[in-house]
């Protein structure tokens, strides 16, 4: 911060102009991106040592009372319609494909238990899960194949995507509601077997100790075993 007496009027104007230009650049980078932008990506566009976090905080405050807000989502920053105006724009929104109850339950289980296999999903739901259900969620861009479990049959493991966080307005899977809230909303009726436990949501990109990378065989991307 520039304190009175630290520099002359010309130097103060120059320093203000530099920060103002940086603020405009951050605004442009976030506005032009189709996906949430991380602090690291923004920093690449700014001079070394730029206060990216401070610039984002200033920009968020600037947009706080406007029709669009600067919001932290999916581990990055993006402009989103102000929450109190969303209902006015629903008539212009593209109606998304409505998910079946099975797909909603499957998505919830993957979000909370990832990395999870199809067999584990079925054990939690208590019913068979069709490959079509998983295909719908992958086509929506909400889940992905992570790797293969080190177990007989080498089943594929599933996890959520950045697109899932972005669509549901989450900064991380840690912001998901509790399982009791999901059951209260009718999205999850069953209780995981005691052996399965109820893990904390974790969408770490790194493979866990019992996972191996997907193979180069194209069948890996088609079988979904």
């Amino acid at each position: 911060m520039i304190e009175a007496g630290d520099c002359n009027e010309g130097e103060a104007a120059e320093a203000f102009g530099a920060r103002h230009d940086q603020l405009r650049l951050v605004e442009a980078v976030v506005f032009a991106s189709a996906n949430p932008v991380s602090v690291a990506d923004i920093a690449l566009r700014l001079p070394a040592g730029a206060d990216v976090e401070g610039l984002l905080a200033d920009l968020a405050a600037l947009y706080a009372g406007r029709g669009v807000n600067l919001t932290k989502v999916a581990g990055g920053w993006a402009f989103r319609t102000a929450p109190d105006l969303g209902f006015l724009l629903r008539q212009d929104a593209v109606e998304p494909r409505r998910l079946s109850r099975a797909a909603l339950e499957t998505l919830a289980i993957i979000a909370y238990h990832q990395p999870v296999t199809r067999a584990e999903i079925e054990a939690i739901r208590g019913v068979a899960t069709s490959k079509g259900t998983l295909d719908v969620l992958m086509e929506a861009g909400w889940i992905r194949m992570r790797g293969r479990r080190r177990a007989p049959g080498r089943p594929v493991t599933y996890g959520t995507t950045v697109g899932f966080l972005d669509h549901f307005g989450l900064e991380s899977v840690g912001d998901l509601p509790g399982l009791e809230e999901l059951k209260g909303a009718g999205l999850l009726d069953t209780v995981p077997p005691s052996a399965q436990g109820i893990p904390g949501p974790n969408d770490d990109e790194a493979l866990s100790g019992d996972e191996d990378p997907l193979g180069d065989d194209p069948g890996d991307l088609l079988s979904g075993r």
Side-chain angles (χ1 to χ4, degrees):
M1 176 181 292
I2 300 173
E3 300 290 343
D6 285 353
C7 57
N8 60 37
E9 184 176 348
E11 291 173 334
E14 181 179 348
F16 176 80
R19 186 172 179 82
H20 177 67
D21 288 342
Q22 291 176 12
L23 196 65
R24 293 177 61 231
L25 181 55
V26 172
E27 181 181 28
V29 169
V30 177
F31 180 80
S33 177
N35 301 307
V37 189
S38 69
V39 171
D41 286 339
I42 294 172
L44 294 175
R45 308 292 186 95
L46 296 172
D51 180 16
V52 181
E53 294 282 3
L55 289 166
L56 285 165
D58 288 350
L59 196 59
L62 183 65
Y63 275 89
R66 299 190 178 183
V68 293
N69 299 154
L70 181 63
T71 305
K72 195 170 186 181
V73 60
W77 291 83
F79 284 112
R80 293 289 183 266
T81 302
D84 60 322
L85 299 179
F87 75 98
L88 294 172
L89 303 179
R90 284 177 189 151
Q91 59 184 358
D92 299 324
V94 177
E95 185 67 24
R97 180 175 180 178
R98 200 168 187 84
L99 293 181
S100 66
R101 186 182 188 83
L104 286 171
E105 289 184 353
T106 299
L107 179 61
I109 291 168
I110 291 173
Y112 283 92
H113 292 264
Q114 58 188 306
V116 62
T117 66
R118 179 173 165 184
E120 290 165 345
I121 294 170
E122 292 174 345
I124 293 170
R125 292 188 63 224
V127 295
T129 299
S130 72
K131 184 175 181 298
T133 297
L134 294 169
D135 289 341
V136 166
L137 295 174
M138 283 195 286
E139 287 170 7
W142 294 345
I143 68 169
R144 64 187 176 91
M145 293 180 181
R146 288 175 45 97
R148 282 193 177 277
R149 182 65 50 78
R150 294 175 183 172
R154 308 273 291 150
V156 167
T157 57
Y158 295 91
T160 54
T161 66
V162 171
F164 166 79
L165 296 176
D166 190 14
H167 181 84
F168 290 99
L170 302 170
E171 183 180 343
S172 71
V173 290
D175 295 328
L176 285 166
L179 289 181
E180 291 302 321
E181 294 176 72
L182 286 175
K183 290 193 290 183
L187 299 180
L188 189 63
D189 293 334
T190 55
V191 178
S194 56
Q196 191 81 15
I198 303 178
N202 181 10
D203 60 353
D204 191 341
E205 289 286 329
L207 295 177
S208 60
D210 62 351
E211 288 180 288
D212 285 325
L214 290 169
D216 295 329
D217 185 347
D220 261 350
L221 302 179
L222 299 175
S223 65
R225 290 187 301 173

